Amino acid sequence: MHISKFVSLLLFVVSFNTICQNSKKIENYTFDELSEKYYKYKFKDSIKAKKFANFYFNKAIKEKDTVNAIDGKYYLSEVYKNDSIYLNYLDSLISKTKLNPNKMYPTYAFLKKGNLYFNNELFNVSLKNYILASSNLKKNKNDSLNYLLKIRISTLKNFDQKNLESLKILLECNQYYINNKNKVSDNKHSAVLMNISILYAKLKKIDSSNIFINKAIEFAYEKNDNFLKGYCYYLKGRCFFENGAYKKTILNIKKSIPYLIIDENYRNLSLCYSYIAKSYEKLNNEKNALKYHFLVDSLYITTKIPSKKVKNSFNYISHHYKDKGDLKNQLKYIEKQIFVDSIQASVGKNLSKTFTEEYDRPKLIAEKQKIISELNNEVSFYKKLRIYIAIILILSFILFLYQFRKRKKQEQKFDNLTIKLKNKKVVENSANSNTNVQKNLSETIITELLAKLDSFEQQPENFTNNKLTLSILAKELETNSNYLSKVINQKKGCNFSTYLRKLRIDYALDLLEKDATIRKFSIDAIAKEVGFKNAETFSKAFFKETELNPSFYIKQLEKKK
């Protein structure tokens, strides 16, 4: 008896210690742990689920974590079965942030509202919220939210039977996720890969569909994600169906069903039952076909999710009852078929209208305005270009006229110079004979110096010496610098430097006129030939005497000759 009590006590202590070791205060739970607890009790114990949902939300508020606060409100709306809890919180966020928006809000709140309406099959309202999110993104760019939004819009495009447009968006998203692996969660990228595969399958491009589903499968095994593997089975089954491999369709899709049930993805679960039913039809197995069509019906009764596949199942069941002669049930499923058809038509019509009027048309108008702006800029560019060309042409014409007139003037100067050179000696003699003699020099000295200067001028080697100075020349002429300077100033009408320059330039002109070989010399060589130290001083002196450049004068001489 004592031993039994002792054993019981020992077991109690061990159990208590185990509980204490494994227990963890709720305050220390992470958001992921709280989320797991919430989903654990969601269908089993609503009181505990509410407790964890409340704590999740309060923890987020305490930590000022708005993203997790939004998730907390979603859990509360689920557990209390009241979407207003979630929507009111999102609306309050939108109201607080719309006047002073940032990269995250109110865009994220509109996105979340759109997702809720999407899950509730209110696709038109969902799209309107996505459009509002998109509008905010134009003002405050956020690539992560932008591509999340694109994925949701592509899904709605898919529902609106715009498969090519949907595919184009998803391929763009896939490329973004490939280029930004660090910024993207694995689940989002895998979802894009799977949806691309579905769209290719719908478009009967089976090879492309298989490429993307195989990428998704590789992704699932790399991450060891059982849920992702489950979805991949479903997609693989759809590809087999499009390829006519109905047994493989059934096998793969059946493998996916448990994962879809756990994930509460009732839309895809309905599609699974429908594809299995259609596969059995193709295999002429009416019993199993009917069984899975009834599962589609059963799921519709629970979820009220309409689709084209649901309508097809009702059609099959109504024909079944018709064949049995059961008019009552036949009528029942015809009415169900009509009801689902009307809902789909209404949703499809509204969705198409919203896409056209609020999403596609504004995008087209924006694109049109962009093109018009570009064309206007192009027109403006060409207008400016024409103006610039006109200005350049006018300036070129003015420059041409200026150069033409300048050339004509130079040619006229050349002609005048040629005439002047012919008459030079007459002019000089005339000028010299009329010159007055300065009073303080004797007539004899002046006459002697003029005679010596005349002799000096007749011998070019005298004045082409570039080291010649007034004092050197005075010694050579056996006089003093003062006398010589006065005679040159009075009788030649200029100072010694100018006198020497004139002699040298006159000699250069005479040489160039008479000697074709000299005309072929460089300007520097000609300069040294006539007594200048370099081309620059020669060119300046030449221009001063003739108002022409040596090179131009030589060219004109060549033309004349």
Side-chain angles (χ1 to χ4, degrees), residues 313-328:
S313 288
F314 292 161
N315 184 49
Y316 186 90
I317 295 169
S318 70
H319 277 90
H320 164 72
Y321 283 122
K322 179 183 179 182
D323 292 340
K324 286 182 69 176
D326 188 341
L327 296 176
K328 184 178 178 182

Side-chain angles (χ1 to χ4, degrees), residues 193-194 197-198 201 206-218 221 228-256 272 275 279:
L193 293 172
M194 289 188 287
S197 174
I198 290 171
I206 305 304
D207 289 341
S208 297
S209 180
N210 279 323
I211 288 169
F212 280 91
I213 191 56
N214 287 332
K215 285 181 181 179
I217 289 168
E218 285 175 20
Y221 277 92
L228 183 53
K229 289 176 189 176
Y231 276 99
C232 289
Y233 285 131
Y234 160 66
L235 293 176
K236 198 74 177 171
R238 283 187 66 164
C239 288
F240 280 129
F241 182 86
E242 298 296 341
N243 230 5
Y246 302 117
K247 287 182 179 179
K248 289 183 178 179
T249 300
I250 294 165
L251 180 67
N252 278 276
I253 291 181
K254 279 185 176 180
K255 286 181 182 179
S256 74
C272 282
Y275 275 107
S279 296

Side-chain angles (χ1 to χ4, degrees), residues 112-202:
K112 284 294 186 178
K113 276 185 77 175
N115 291 348
L116 179 71
Y117 287 123
F118 178 89
N119 293 335
N120 291 343
E121 305 287 318
L122 299 169
F123 299 130
N124 191 45
V125 186
S126 173
L127 177 58
K128 285 178 180 289
N129 278 277
Y130 291 152
I131 290 168
L132 288 168
S134 180
S135 177
N136 277 279
L137 278 174
K138 290 174 186 174
K139 302 167 192 171
N140 298 280
K141 291 187 177 181
N142 182 324
D143 284 344
S144 297
L145 287 183
N146 183 38
Y147 283 96
L148 275 177
L149 189 61
K150 282 178 181 286
I151 292 169
R152 304 308 294 181
I153 287 173
S154 77
T155 307
L156 289 174
K157 290 263 186 189
N158 184 18
F159 286 147
D160 198 32
Q161 305 300 313
K162 295 175 180 176
N163 295 329
L164 282 172
E165 291 179 32
S166 179
L167 179 61
K168 184 181 176 182
I169 294 169
L170 286 178
L171 288 171
E172 182 191 340
C173 293
N174 181 54
Q175 193 56 53
Y176 171 78
Y177 287 165
I178 289 169
N179 296 338
N180 298 273
K181 289 181 180 179
N182 297 332
K183 298 180 183 178
V184 182
S185 72
D186 297 336
N187 289 339
K188 289 185 181 72
H189 195 183
S190 60
V192 168
L193 293 172
M194 289 188 287
N195 283 316
I196 290 172
S197 174
I198 290 171
L199 285 165
Y200 273 127
K202 280 187 174 183

Side-chain angles (χ1 to χ4, degrees), residues 498-510:
T498 304
Y499 168 69
L500 199 58
R501 183 185 75 215
K502 286 177 179 291
L503 285 173
R504 287 170 176 172
I505 296 302
D506 283 348
Y507 177 59
L509 290 168
D510 188 54

Side-chain angles (χ1 to χ4, degrees), residues 236-298:
K236 198 74 177 171
R238 283 187 66 164
C239 288
F240 280 129
F241 182 86
E242 298 296 341
N243 230 5
Y246 302 117
K247 287 182 179 179
K248 289 183 178 179
T249 300
I250 294 165
L251 180 67
N252 278 276
I253 291 181
K254 279 185 176 180
K255 286 181 182 179
S256 74
I257 288 173
Y259 299 102
L260 297 179
I261 291 171
I262 293 168
D263 202 32
E264 300 176 39
N265 192 332
Y266 300 121
R267 173 175 285 281
N268 279 337
L269 184 60
S270 177
L271 289 172
C272 282
Y273 293 150
S274 179
Y275 275 107
I276 292 171
K278 292 292 289 181
S279 296
Y280 278 125
E281 282 183 50
K282 298 288 185 180
L283 294 169
N284 297 317
N285 188 334
E286 292 183 17
K287 181 181 176 182
N288 278 322
L290 187 63
K291 173 186 172 182
Y292 278 91
H293 279 306
F294 272 123
L295 284 173
V296 173
D297 177 37
S298 176

Side-chain angles (χ1 to χ4, degrees), residues 440-458:
N440 58 359
L441 283 177
S442 69
E443 189 66 35
T444 306
I445 293 171
I446 293 169
T447 304
E448 286 179 1
L449 278 176
L450 283 174
K452 288 179 180 179
L453 283 174
D454 186 53
S455 176
F456 168 77
E457 291 168 8
Q458 299 304 315

Side-chain angles (χ1 to χ4, degrees), residues 7-45:
V7 170
S8 299
L9 181 63
L10 183 62
L11 288 171
F12 172 77
V13 170
V14 170
S15 299
F16 180 77
N17 285 338
T18 303
I19 290 165
C20 288
Q21 287 170 6
N22 293 334
S23 66
K24 184 178 181 179
K25 286 184 178 181
I26 194 169
E27 290 83 2
N28 297 326
Y29 277 32
T30 64
F31 285 111
D32 285 341
E33 288 170 332
L34 288 169
S35 181
E36 286 175 16
K37 289 288 184 184
Y38 165 73
Y39 280 112
K40 178 181 177 180
Y41 294 114
K42 181 179 172 183
F43 299 108
K44 296 178 182 178
D45 188 334

